[in-house]
Amino acid sequence: MADVTGSAAVSTTGDTGDLPPPGISGTGRIRQPAALIRLLAGLMVTALALLFADYARATTNGLAEDVADAAALVPHPLGAVATGLTTAALLLLPALSAARRLLRTTADRRHVLQQLSDGLLAAVLAYGASLAVDLWIDGPAPFSLVSALTQPLPGDPIARTEPVYGYLAPVLAFLTASAARERRVPRSVLALSALAGLATGAATPTALLLGVLIGWTAAHGTRWAVGTPDPRPRPAQLLHSLREAGLRPVAATPAGPDRYLVRQQDGRPELDVQLLDRQAVTAALVQRAWRRLRLRTAPHPRALRSLRTGLEHEALVSYAAVAAGVRTRRIAATAELGRDTALVAYERLPGRTLDDLDDEELTDALLADAWGQLALLQRRAIAHRALAPSALLVDAAGAVHLVGLADGDIAAGELVLRCDVAQLLTTLALRTGAERSVRSAVAVLGPDAVAAALPLLQPIALARGTRLALKRAGRAAPTAPAAPGGPPAPPAPDLLEQIRTEILHSRPQAPVRPVRLERLRPRTMAAVGGGVVAGWLLIPQFFAAERNPLAAVADADPFWLVLALLAAVTSHVMAAMGFIGFVPERLDFRNAVLAQVAGSFVKLASPGGVGGVALNTRFLQRAGIPTAQALSSVGVGQLLGLVLHLLQIGAFVYLTGLEAGGSELDILPLVVGGIAVAGALLAAVSAVPPARRWLAARLHPLTAEVLPRLVELLRNPGRLAVGFAGQLLVSITLITCLYCCARAVGSQPGYAAVGVVFLVGNAAGNAAPAPGGVGAVDSALAAGLKAATSMGAGEILATVTLFRLLTLLLPVLPGWAAFSWLQRRGAL
């Protein structure tokens, strides 16, 4: 956050009568990230509530009926009186709250008026949103949603209740947006009003929930749109709080975002005061929470702690570090400055961070001292977690102090402690090189402790700033010039690889396999998301279709079903032909077929065709083919397979036109248009230097490895023909499988149309990051069959279900058996 107090120092004397009360903060208005997060959360929960009310009609209607049966037991006169009283109290609540705050406030009435105006605006928006929902329910909304949000009024079967109950939403919005501190009375009035609405049958439970969500969302939307008064303290308030903590501050000077340097009386040491701003911490909540969910070594998100808990944690880690003998800043005082701000006052430690030092100042003694300080932390099982250059402070005498322990931990686990070693190795190597960083670490910690950190030398284990610095160092690394007429020089190894090499020089038997730090991988999330989307789109169709697809699969024609199964099995043999045809060396065809069957098991754990590529490369390596040639052979197969795939799409589109009674000229505009678009894109990329360099970098492996391998294959045209035939026939067999599945459920689509649908759907599956193309392939095949054929919804879903059963699910068990068999015989 930007400082709004200026850069001039604020000084005070011993008299504190001119200081404002602790509740008064800065004069500006800011947009708080927490308000935006709550706004988005409110919108999402409101949408989910409406979807649940629509799809779970039996549940919502049953709940409303149970409530109505209970409400029938309440005498009507008593319910009417309760409704009138609670409605009156609800309407008086905002006025009474505003009057109470204005009468009790004497110091900063303007601040209170701003909050009340924010509350009034939020109430207007909430009331408008409630009216919009009413109009939508009365108009285009589906009847299922109308029945979930409303019910017939007691005694009047024609009229219905309101979808958003009474004035619940605007009153709640006013109280929330105006930051009313009184909670018990407003909550009691709101609860009694809701109970009265239920007791008299004037509201459904879903209508009450919707009113609460609209009011809460409108309040936080208003707070984010217009901003809220800056909660950060003025320097005078900061000095007042420090004086109450027993210190003797004289002047406070801003020294950065949320940071002040405070001078004290009587020659006492200066203070370095850091403000803990709830809103600044919340701004990084999503990123920190995702990292915590994804990584086993991530720190607990500070935004999920209360300010008091955060203060206690930081003080505890700092005291533990001092007790361990570590040179660090000592805490002089801590204090809370309201609900959203607190402070930690450290005794100022003059010095420069690692980034501020010149290269000649980074002596071996300084590096050894940094490792010595980390060794003290490690001895007491204290994790720092943020050993970036800013955390290493060097004083005038050249001694290293470790600062920035806010995210640290005591009684840390071994994995987290090893991450600290890996982080400091990388931080020092960025300034001094891998050799000096590792040598200094081994001299202090010993070779075993440094070798234990080798499996954690991976970007995901490092701080974000360190990862960015590694990328910049990689781009700036010089590349050796290529020999005249020779192949391009290989790129220089990255810094992490250099550190690994130096560690292995000191401890050759060190473990090199990276430790898995991820609890949850992005591709797993993509697979789950794809499955949810596919289920959301496809499952309702099972019940909306004229013919139940599950029954259609169960009643499939055995003849076509056997043909589909044979086509699916044959596709693995054709895939083996397409694989070995692009490898000049002689391979065992049986093992190659089993490797393709094993690919059915591997692709369930990897996105697109990544698993198949890795498995084929490993198979060639175990067959005695060097890694470079193995990668080149797989690359040749992938490149020619892509070309053949595009040609097949064009051919089947052409055949589709002939099946429909068209002409072969119908495809000509598409071909010419595609060539023109491709040429225009290539020209545009070539005209932009950064894009041209990016394309050249991507094509470098093609020109350096794949094309020479292809030239070698041209010397054996018979083997190359086997490869081409296999690549073509694997697509033909899978198209035949899909066609037979359609015939098995009683449809008669055109073979060419099915071919186009499969080729496009298969391309979408390989492009999607989900393992096995889950979600992407299913949706693409269903949409393609609907667009290219006259099949009904039930037949389409039955066809896709049967096809994916034969090509994705059933081969998993044979694939696992083939994978295990090849591993036992050393072929994988």
Side-chain angles (χ1 to χ4, degrees):
M1 289 184 180
D3 193 281
V4 298
T5 59
S7 59
V10 175
S11 62
T12 66
T13 60
D15 183 15
T16 61
D18 59 339
L19 292 175
I24 299 177
S25 302
T27 58
R29 292 176 73 89
I30 59 173
R31 288 181 174 176
Q32 298 180 349
L36 177 60
I37 293 174
R38 290 167 182 161
L39 168 63
L40 298 177
L43 293 173
M44 183 177 65
V45 174
T46 303
L48 291 176
L50 291 173
L51 287 174
F52 180 80
D54 190 21
Y55 278 92
R57 293 185 290 272
T59 302
T60 54
N61 291 338
L63 178 61
E65 291 175 1
D66 293 340
V67 173
D69 293 339
L73 302 177
V74 179
H76 180 70
L78 179 60
V81 171
T83 301
L85 291 176
T86 54
T87 302
L90 192 65
L91 293 175
L92 289 174
L93 188 59
L96 293 176
S97 175
R100 178 176 177 273
R101 295 177 64 182
L102 289 173
L103 291 175
R104 295 186 59 180
T105 301
T106 58
D108 195 356
R109 187 163 293 179
R110 180 172 175 269
H111 174 70
V112 175
L113 289 174
Q114 285 181 343
Q115 291 182 325
L116 294 177
S117 64
D118 294 346
L120 183 60
L121 176 60
V124 172
L125 292 177
Y127 188 70
S130 301
L131 289 179
V133 173
D134 288 346
L135 294 175
W136 180 56
I137 292 297
D138 292 339
F143 180 75
S144 58
L145 198 57
V146 175
S147 63
L149 296 177
T150 65
Q151 64 185 8
L153 284 171
D156 189 352
I158 299 177
R160 301 186 71 87
T161 60
E162 296 178 351
V164 181
Y165 176 60
Y167 302 100
L168 192 64
V171 172
L172 179 61
F174 175 85
L175 296 174
T176 305
S178 62
R181 294 183 179 273
E182 179 61 37
R183 300 291 179 87
R184 295 180 181 178
V185 173
R187 288 177 178 175
S188 300
V189 173
L190 292 171
L192 289 174
S193 177
L195 289 175
L198 292 176
T200 57
T204 64
T206 312
L208 292 177
L209 175 62
L210 193 59
V212 172
L213 290 174
I214 290 177
W216 192 80
T217 305
H220 290 291
T222 302
R223 290 169 68 90
W224 181 77
V226 303
T228 55
D230 191 352
R232 294 172 297 180
R234 297 171 181 173
Q237 181 192 355
L238 185 145
L239 295 176
H240 178 69
S241 299
L242 291 175
R243 196 180 304 278
E244 289 186 339
L247 303 177
R248 306 189 66 181
V250 175
T253 304
D258 295 333
R259 183 166 172 256
Y260 289 88
L261 294 180
V262 177
R263 183 165 50 88
Q264 296 195 85
Q265 294 177 352
D266 303 331
R268 294 188 179 188
E270 289 186 330
L271 301 176
D272 190 347
V273 178
Q274 183 71 42
L275 298 181
L276 303 180
D277 184 359
R278 167 63 65 190
Q279 309 308 326
V281 174
T282 305
L285 170 63
V286 176
Q287 180 181 356
R288 283 176 170 265
W290 165 245
R291 189 168 177 82
R292 175 71 176 178
L293 177 65
R294 183 184 177 190
L295 296 182
R296 296 161 54 195
T297 58
H300 187 76
R302 283 182 285 175
L304 300 182
R305 305 171 181 158
S306 66
L307 281 176
R308 178 176 295 276
T309 303
L311 284 175
E312 293 173 351
H313 177 82
E314 187 166 348
L316 180 62
V317 177
S318 178
Y319 290 142
V322 171
V326 178
R327 290 191 293 269
T328 186
R329 299 182 300 182
R330 295 178 180 270
I331 292 181
T334 61
E336 287 185 295
L337 304 176
R339 292 185 300 175
D340 295 325
T341 311
L343 66 83
V344 180
Y346 293 95
E347 294 181 1
R348 184 169 181 266
L349 188 63
R352 295 177 294 165
T353 62
L354 190 68
D355 282 339
D356 297 330
L357 299 179
D358 296 329
D359 291 342
E360 55 271 13
E361 296 180 276
L362 299 175
T363 62
D364 290 341
L366 187 144
L367 300 184
D369 192 20
W371 285 111
Q373 295 301 302
L374 179 61
L376 293 175
L377 286 179
Q378 301 259 315
R379 199 170 299 155
R380 295 292 185 90
I382 302 173
H384 189 288
R385 289 186 177 273
L387 286 169
S390 59
L392 276 70
L393 194 67
V394 182
D395 62 18
V400 177
H401 302 254
L402 298 183
V403 298
L405 290 161
D407 284 328
D409 276 331
I410 60 174
E414 180 187 358
L415 192 64
V416 179
L417 296 176
R418 289 159 62 192
C419 278
D420 272 357
V421 177
Q423 174 69 54
L424 189 56
L425 278 170
T426 309
T427 297
L428 296 180
L430 285 167
R431 289 298 313 273
T432 65
E435 190 272 334
R436 287 187 62 194
S437 176
V438 174
R439 175 160 46 86
S440 60
V442 170
V444 177
L445 301 181
D448 292 333
V450 178
L454 191 148
L456 295 165
L457 283 169
Q458 42 186 310
I460 198 171
L462 306 176
R464 183 173 182 270
T466 305
R467 296 197 301 269
L468 295 176
L470 285 172
K471 290 182 179 180
R472 290 193 296 268
R475 290 194 294 266
T479 303
D494 61 12
L495 186 60
L496 291 181
E497 186 60 35
Q498 296 176 32
I499 298 174
R500 295 187 193 100
T501 302
E502 294 296 333
I503 293 176
L504 289 174
H505 284 165
S506 63
R507 183 65 69 187
Q509 66 272 25
V512 296
R513 184 175 181 179
V515 173
R516 180 176 176 179
L517 300 176
E518 293 175 293
R519 289 194 187 99
L520 191 63
R521 298 186 177 184
R523 67 188 184 199
T524 305
M525 293 291 293
V528 173
V532 169
V533 172
W536 184 271
L537 296 176
L538 297 178
I539 289 177
Q541 303 299 326
F542 278 78
F543 305 97
E546 297 178 359
R547 185 183 182 190
N548 192 320
L550 296 180
V553 171
D555 298 336
D557 188 331
F559 174 75
W560 289 105
L561 189 59
V562 170
L563 290 182
L565 179 61
L566 290 176
V569 172
T570 307
S571 67
H572 297 291
V573 180
M574 298 300 105
M577 289 177 54
F579 169 56
I580 66 173
F582 298 115
V583 181
E585 293 81 6
R586 186 176 181 83
L587 297 174
D588 188 319
F589 184 72
R590 181 193 60 179
N591 287 349
V593 173
L594 291 176
Q596 305 312 305
V597 176
S600 302
F601 168 71
V602 172
K603 70 181 180 181
L604 284 182
S606 58
V610 175
V613 171
L615 185 139
N616 288 336
T617 303
R618 179 63 176 170
F619 178 77
L620 294 179
Q621 290 174 329
R622 299 296 291 177
I625 300 175
T627 302
Q629 284 81 355
L631 290 172
S632 300
S633 296
V634 175
V636 169
Q638 293 290 311
L639 175 63
L640 296 181
L642 174 62
V643 173
L644 291 175
H645 194 88
L646 296 176
L647 292 176
Q648 284 178 297
I649 290 178
F652 276 100
V653 169
Y654 171 78
L655 293 176
T656 302
L658 293 183
E659 282 185 352
S663 169
E664 64 268 22
L665 296 178
D666 293 341
I667 197 65
L668 186 59
L670 294 176
V671 175
V672 174
I675 294 175
V677 170
L681 289 176
L682 183 60
V685 170
S686 302
V688 180
R692 185 170 60 248
R693 289 192 294 269
W694 176 86
L695 182 62
R698 294 301 181 272
L699 293 178
H700 173 72
L702 176 66
T703 57
E705 301 173 2
V706 175
L707 291 183
R709 191 69 162 173
L710 183 58
V711 171
E712 184 179 358
L713 283 170
L714 291 176
R715 301 172 184 171
N716 192 345
R719 180 174 289 271
L720 193 60
V722 171
F724 274 109
Q727 291 280 3
L728 287 171
L729 290 176
V730 69
S731 297
I732 296 298
T733 52
L734 290 175
I735 292 171
T736 302
C737 179
L738 182 59
Y739 176 78
C740 292
C741 290
R743 294 299 301 269
V745 298
S747 291
Q748 295 184 0
Y751 187 85
V754 173
V756 174
V757 170
F758 167 78
L759 293 170
V760 174
N762 188 57
N766 287 330
V774 174
V777 170
D778 309 272
S779 302
L781 291 179
L785 290 174
K786 181 178 180 180
T789 67
S790 58
M791 298 169 61
E795 294 174 339
I796 290 175
L797 290 175
T799 300
V800 174
T801 302
L802 186 57
F803 176 74
R804 295 291 276 172
L805 180 67
L806 295 177
T807 59
L808 179 66
L809 299 180
L810 289 184
V812 170
L813 186 58
W816 171 78
F819 187 85
S820 302
W821 191 87
L822 291 173
Q823 277 192 322
R824 287 196 300 269
R825 281 156 180 76
L828 279 181

